[in-house]
Amino acid sequence: MTGCYSNSPGAPHDTIDNHFNDWNWRKTVQFGPYEFEDAVPDDVIEGWQVEVTNWECDPTLPNPYQLKTKAKSERVVCLKLAKAVEAKEDAQGIDLTSHELHASVVIANGLVIEEDQHKLTADTEELGQHPTEKQLSGLLERSNQLHHKIAAWIETQALFMPEVSQERVKVMQGGSSDRVATTKAYDIPLWLPSQLLEKGATTALELQQYKWKLREGQANNSLEEI
């Protein structure tokens, strides 16, 4: 941090970011190769090493370090799911104007809400013993917004996952869905398809496939950012 304060206000942040990036890179290069090799078949490793050796001898050959295929992003997955659902409902003669959302969109919105819950939980735990009024009011506002967002999503979720209503009543200790308003926003169970499958709900199987594909798209987005 020496000399940062004589520069622009952003200089200290840039310096800290540079130190963090350097430290993360050091940790990455120090990973033992066995950790990666154990998860990859031997023939794949040997084939890739041959490609690297050939490319180093002849740079005109395809670069083995470049991706040969582009992973599907979350946006691409959402689009494909929407088209698949539309084609299926059209083939079954279902009136597409009877509802605005299809199941894949509901699950995608649920994943967004789940992420918001995790972020709110993390920010709440980082408050410390002496939070400021600004911090408390900011978290309270976010919590209220998330409450309304979850309540609206729950109503839509019930159309595609009717079993959720019964499970939610059990969790709320005999209360109704109105009890959601008295629970902390980050503690409200969303009952996504994987949680219902654990309870033996077979109707959530197709929805779980949607969730899995969306999770894969999210993972590809994260890898792309790295």
Side-chain angles (χ1 to χ4, degrees), residues 49-111:
Q49 290 175 340
V50 170
E51 291 183 7
V52 171
T53 302
N54 294 337
W55 176 73
E56 291 175 346
C57 296
D58 185 3
T60 61
L61 295 174
N63 187 345
Y65 293 100
Q66 292 181 345
L67 294 176
K68 298 180 181 179
T69 58
K70 185 174 179 60
K72 297 178 182 178
S73 65
E74 184 180 6
R75 183 174 299 179
V76 172
V77 172
C78 288
L79 179 59
K80 289 193 173 185
L81 288 177
K83 290 182 177 180
V85 172
E86 182 179 2
K88 179 180 178 180
E89 292 183 347
D90 186 46
Q92 295 176 350
I94 299 177
D95 183 9
L96 299 178
T97 61
S98 59
H99 51 80
E100 297 180 357
L101 300 178
H102 52 74
S104 62
V105 176
V106 175
I107 300 303
N109 292 340
L111 295 180

Side-chain angles (χ1 to χ4, degrees), residues 25-158:
W25 171 250
R26 289 172 184 267
K27 290 190 294 183
T28 300
V29 298
Q30 289 176 358
F31 284 155
Y34 60 86
E35 296 182 8
F36 298 100
E37 293 178 357
D38 290 345
V40 181
D42 293 338
D43 57 335
V44 175
I45 296 177
E46 294 174 359
W48 184 79
Q49 290 175 340
V50 170
E51 291 183 7
V52 171
T53 302
N54 294 337
W55 176 73
E56 291 175 346
C57 296
D58 185 3
T60 61
L61 295 174
N63 187 345
Y65 293 100
Q66 292 181 345
L67 294 176
K68 298 180 181 179
T69 58
K70 185 174 179 60
K72 297 178 182 178
S73 65
E74 184 180 6
R75 183 174 299 179
V76 172
V77 172
C78 288
L79 179 59
K80 289 193 173 185
L81 288 177
K83 290 182 177 180
V85 172
E86 182 179 2
K88 179 180 178 180
E89 292 183 347
D90 186 46
Q92 295 176 350
I94 299 177
D95 183 9
L96 299 178
T97 61
S98 59
H99 51 80
E100 297 180 357
L101 300 178
H102 52 74
S104 62
V105 176
V106 175
I107 300 303
N109 292 340
L111 295 180
V112 173
I113 292 176
E114 186 181 47
E115 183 177 358
D116 291 340
Q117 286 182 313
H118 292 322
K119 290 180 179 179
L120 183 59
T121 301
D123 292 342
T124 302
E125 293 176 349
E126 292 178 358
L127 274 180
Q129 297 181 353
H130 305 287
T132 63
E133 292 183 357
K134 183 178 180 181
Q135 290 175 320
L136 293 175
S137 61
L139 286 177
L140 181 59
E141 182 178 355
R142 287 172 55 191
S143 180
N144 291 336
Q145 292 176 350
L146 188 55
H147 260 297
H148 292 299
K149 192 174 181 180
I150 293 175
W153 181 78
I154 285 176
E155 293 181 3
T156 307
Q157 180 194 32

Side-chain angles (χ1 to χ4, degrees), residues 174-191:
S176 63
S177 57
D178 294 336
R179 188 176 174 82
V180 169
T182 63
T183 306
K184 293 181 180 179
Y186 50 78
D187 285 336
I188 299 175
L190 299 180
W191 290 106

Side-chain angles (χ1 to χ4, degrees), residues 164-205:
V164 172
S165 300
Q166 299 177 358
E167 295 296 336
R168 183 164 282 114
V169 169
K170 295 178 183 178
V171 172
M172 297 303 176
Q173 298 179 352
S176 63
S177 57
D178 294 336
R179 188 176 174 82
V180 169
T182 63
T183 306
K184 293 181 180 179
Y186 50 78
D187 285 336
I188 299 175
L190 299 180
W191 290 106
L192 292 170
S194 56
Q195 295 171 298
L196 281 182
L197 287 176
E198 294 176 358
K199 297 290 184 179
T202 57
T203 56
L205 184 58

Side-chain angles (χ1 to χ4, degrees), residues 7-20:
N7 299 321
S8 63
H13 296 285
D14 293 339
T15 301
I16 293 174
D17 288 341
N18 290 335
H19 281 292
F20 285 162

